Amino acid sequence: MLMNMKELLKVAQKNQFAVPAFNIGSGQILTAVVQSAEAMQCPVILAIHPDELSFLGDSFVESCKAEANAAKVPMVIHLDHGGSFEQVMRAIQCGFTSVMIDGSHLSYEDNIEITKKVVGAAHPIHISVEAELGTIGTTGTSAEGGASEIIYTDPKLAKDFVAKTGIDTLAVAIGTAHGIYPKGMKPKLRLDLLKEIRDVVMVPLVLHGGSSNADEEIAESVKIGISKINISSDVKAAYYKKVREVLKDNEGWYEPNAIYPPCIAAAREVIEFKMNLFNAVDKVKLYK
Ligand SMILES: [Zn+2]
């Protein structure tokens, strides 16, 4: 069931759960996400970052579309951190049903301008748009990057930004960073700030950099009103840990269908843990 983000998150927002957005990155991770979504009856977002799209090629989006159309679970194909108007247009052409335009590093006015331009092009063809205000941090370990200094989202500006741009979802910066936190780096989510933003912004809110944060804080953010949480590193880390183990234990192996099934299972364990944490399990019935 392929849909856009607005339709997908309307139900999540109303029923206080967050839909997980998993960065796909490879065919095996797509398999893991789709299998888990069906098994857990959990709506999912297939997120693809421009670097991932360059690696996978545009034709990979066709596989995502085929999976989403065949699935009985609501799915969105979402461009993560679109960096320019042109990148977003390419994604729409490929069949993404939702795009992010990330102008968070620009001035406030320029962020509004580029976001408005994307909304103007996307909305007439029913593609949803996510934008970001404030900056997500970086741990230096992920492809998504991020800012070395986190700028927390200002609630007043957030309200103004949503009104001026007409976006469907807003990514907020409340203290998370992309990637896995190195030892000694302790993220502290500003849940008080999230409440302030939630009080004045009506569109669904998105949490980036959701990997390796404290589970209690993530669960609390869902209760407060986060409707989409991006997970990339946690799934990939579990998957490749298993890949390394399998190859080490079976030096002569070279058949993908022997090597990858236990790795897909390892990814699924993390995926399904997150689905539970986000209160998103067994929510497919709400879309009927
Ligand atoms: Zn992100």
Side-chain angles (χ1 to χ4, degrees), residues 134-149:
T135 54
I136 316 293
T138 179
T139 56
T141 58
S142 91
E144 288 91 349
S148 48
E149 208 172 317

Side-chain angles (χ1 to χ4, degrees), residues 23 49 80-81 100 102 130 132 136 144 178 208-209 230:
N23 277 78
H49 184 278
D80 190 26
H81 291 283
M100 176 184 188
D102 181 358
E130 174 180 330
E132 177 177 322
I136 316 293
E144 288 91 349
H178 290 126
H208 281 243
N230 292 16

Side-chain angles (χ1 to χ4, degrees), residues 26-48:
S26 85
Q28 284 78 34
I29 294 176
L30 174 64
T31 302
V33 169
V34 171
Q35 286 180 353
S36 289
E38 295 276 13
M40 306 302 278
Q41 287 294 291
C42 175
V44 286
I45 297 153
L46 309 176
I48 304 178

Side-chain angles (χ1 to χ4, degrees), residues 28 246-261:
Q28 284 78 34
V246 170
L247 293 178
K248 192 166 169 266
D249 294 346
N250 306 281
E251 277 193 8
W253 283 17
Y254 52 78
E255 287 293 352
N257 62 5
I259 294 167
Y260 290 123

Side-chain angles (χ1 to χ4, degrees), residues 83-272:
S84 66
F85 184 77
E86 291 71 24
Q87 227 168 42
V88 166
M89 288 306 109
R90 175 181 163 192
I92 291 175
Q93 196 93 48
C94 288
F96 283 73
T97 58
S98 170
V99 291
M100 176 184 188
I101 177 70
D102 181 358
S104 61
H105 54 288
L106 302 171
S107 70
Y108 183 62
E109 290 72 26
D110 289 349
N111 193 358
I112 288 178
E113 195 184 327
I114 191 165
T115 304
K116 264 173 83 170
K117 193 176 168 192
V118 168
V119 169
H123 276 183
I125 47 173
H126 307 294
I127 307 290
S128 316
V129 180
E130 174 180 330
E132 177 177 322
L133 192 63
T135 54
I136 316 293
T138 179
T139 56
T141 58
S142 91
E144 288 91 349
S148 48
E149 208 172 317
I150 293 170
I151 300 169
Y152 288 87
T153 304
D154 178 323
K156 276 200 199 80
L157 280 186
K159 187 184 177 191
D160 183 63
F161 185 79
V162 172
K164 284 186 175 146
T165 56
I167 49 169
D168 303 289
T169 54
L170 177 69
V172 293
I174 55 166
T176 55
H178 290 126
I180 305 268
Y181 299 99
K183 274 201 181 75
M185 180 178 177
K186 262 214 165 15
K188 182 81 187 116
L189 265 61
R190 289 269 320 271
L191 296 174
D192 57 319
L193 183 63
L194 177 60
K195 277 185 196 137
E196 282 182 47
I197 300 167
R198 180 67 289 165
D199 284 345
V200 295
V201 173
M202 296 306 129
V203 298
L205 301 177
V206 178
L207 190 65
H208 281 243
S211 284
S212 85
N213 289 285
D215 292 336
E216 315 77 65
E217 285 186 324
I218 293 290
E220 194 55 32
S221 77
V222 175
K223 281 193 192 127
I224 294 169
I226 288 285
S227 305
K228 166 180 177 257
I229 302 179
N230 292 16
I231 297 288
S232 181
S233 305
D234 278 348
V235 172
K236 291 170 181 168
Y239 176 77
Y240 282 102
K241 181 171 179 272
K242 196 61 168 180
V243 171
R244 279 185 281 268
E245 280 171 20
V246 170
L247 293 178
K248 192 166 169 266
D249 294 346
N250 306 281
E251 277 193 8
W253 283 17
Y254 52 78
E255 287 293 352
N257 62 5
I259 294 167
Y260 290 123
C263 311
I264 291 170
R268 282 190 59 178
E269 230 175 89
V270 175
I271 289 166
E272 289 167 24

